[in-house]
Amino acid sequence: MKLKLAGKEHKNQTIVSVGDVHIGGDELVLIAGPCAIESEDQLFETARLVKKAGAQVLRGGAFKPRTSPYSFQGLGEEGLKYLYQAGQENNMPVISEIMDPRDIDMLDKYVDIFQIGSRNMQNYSLLREVGKGSKPVMLKRGMAASIKEWLSAAEYIVLEGNKNVILCERGIRTFENYTRNTLDLMAVPIIKELSHFPIIVDPSHGTGRVELVASASRAAVAIGAHGLMVEVHPSPCDALSDGIQALDFHMFEKLSKELLEIHNCVNGL
Ligand code: PEP
Ligand code: MN
């Protein structure tokens, strides 16, 4: 499989910058927020507290790719308006998932990073479309994708001209069903070996269980991830999506401190 643009050969490490956040360098970048934006209050409270606890980027889904069409699908553009405002108020870049190429111009007004979800990793028309601009794209690993297939999907984005790609390991489907997915942490050093793009880890979808999120996060930082994306909710048991894998504020605050210590230790800082 040819990786002319996403492959490492003859290329320096890519650092994707959004505002004063730099993903892919020495800094550990924490992206945090709810799975889904549910209300103005929920998002603003989360933004304020994750920022205070050390997160640099705010996440929140407005278009949710739910397994069942009867589950909460997200607030759509109304949610994106809250996300934009919460980002402005807390001086944080924001990220949200794009599911449909027809929504690009609309999402472009509100988000700093486009998220391509696991289910769309091989949606080649969507990849080509986000590739035509220069806005950073976080490409999550497909739940049944090999590392080479994932990098090949990144190649579609770069081929259109957009070099601001961030890769996100979020677990793959295996026969193990104790966890929601099997978090493939080996993908971190492998991506660093094969590609120049930053690699971040999503321990929330990677485990699907709140009690495992801290362990997975610590391991991800120790193995060299450039950042993490973690789901945080003010009241996980009331969440409209993915409540069982969401950290509350107290847990996130504690975890964030531990991760910084591990990062400094591993990098001799
Ligand atoms: C998400 O980040 O909210 C999400 C839906 O993740 P994934 O695409 O990895 O399932
Ligand atoms: Mn989620």
Side-chain angles (χ1 to χ4, degrees):
M1 211 176 282
K2 275 204 190 94
L3 294 170
K4 288 190 195 164
L5 303 167
K8 188 156 188 157
E9 222 177 315
H10 312 305
K11 290 187 191 69
N12 295 327
Q13 172 68 34
T14 292
I15 297 183
V16 176
S17 294
V18 264
D20 46 18
V21 181
H22 308 287
I23 307 172
D26 294 337
E27 181 188 14
L28 176 70
V29 176
L30 298 181
I31 304 170
C35 177
I37 301 159
E38 297 168 4
S39 70
E40 193 171 357
D41 285 353
Q42 172 243 21
L43 189 69
F44 274 71
E45 191 188 354
T46 309
R48 196 161 37 81
L49 284 148
V50 296
K51 169 83 184 192
K52 194 163 153 251
Q56 296 98 317
V57 181
L58 178 65
R59 68 151 282 153
F63 294 92
K64 297 303 304 173
R66 303 304 298 279
T67 303
S68 164
Y70 306 113
S71 302
F72 178 58
Q73 303 287 302
L75 293 181
E77 188 166 2
E78 181 194 349
L80 292 174
K81 287 182 180 163
Y82 302 149
L83 187 65
Y84 175 81
Q85 287 159 4
Q88 291 284 306
E89 193 153 304
N90 294 282
N91 189 26
M92 298 171 93
V94 300
I95 176 168
S96 198
E97 177 163 353
I98 170 128
M99 293 209 297
D100 189 325
R102 291 169 296 189
D103 291 336
I104 288 197
D105 290 343
M106 190 269 288
L107 259 101
D108 192 48
K109 291 191 279 183
Y110 304 108
V111 307
D112 300 293
I113 307 172
F114 289 125
Q115 174 172 328
I116 305 267
S118 190
R119 292 157 190 78
N120 274 315
M121 189 206 82
Q122 285 174 313
N123 182 339
Y124 298 120
S125 44
L126 181 60
L127 299 178
R128 283 193 192 276
E129 213 51 44
V130 294
K132 287 178 185 156
S134 60
K135 184 155 282 188
V137 179
M138 190 181 81
L139 179 65
K140 297 190 90 173
R141 181 176 182 178
M143 61 184 79
S146 70
I147 289 173
K148 287 277 177 75
E149 286 163 344
W150 181 21
L151 286 174
S152 202
E155 191 82 12
Y156 271 85
I157 301 173
V158 199
L159 196 54
E160 296 296 327
N162 192 345
K163 298 184 172 65
N164 293 312
V165 175
I166 303 155
L167 299 164
C168 176
E169 162 62 40
R170 51 77 73 202
I172 47 176
R173 281 272 171 90
T174 68
F175 59 82
E176 179 55 72
N177 60 9
Y178 184 84
T179 48
R180 179 176 179 179
N181 291 291
T182 298
L183 185 62
D184 180 14
L185 284 179
M186 275 305 127
V188 174
I190 295 170
I191 289 291
K192 286 181 151 181
E193 181 69 30
L194 298 180
S195 177
H196 53 94
F197 287 124
I199 169 75
I200 74 156
V201 170
D202 171 352
S204 306
H205 296 87
T207 63
R209 301 173 77 116
V210 65
E211 69 275 19
L212 297 177
V213 169
S215 307
S217 303
R218 290 189 292 254
V221 174
I223 207 166
H226 294 112
L228 293 183
M229 183 162 84
V230 186
E231 287 185 346
V232 180
H233 193 282
S235 173
C237 55
D238 298 316
L240 297 181
S241 73
D242 287 351
I244 56 165
Q245 66 191 35
L247 301 185
D248 63 22
F249 296 145
H250 174 70
M251 291 171 182
F252 181 70
E253 201 176 11
K254 180 169 177 282
L255 178 62
S256 165
K257 282 194 195 113
E258 291 170 357
L259 296 180
L260 211 60
E261 279 177 33
I262 296 169
H263 182 256
N264 289 344
C265 176
V266 170
N267 294 283
L269 301 171

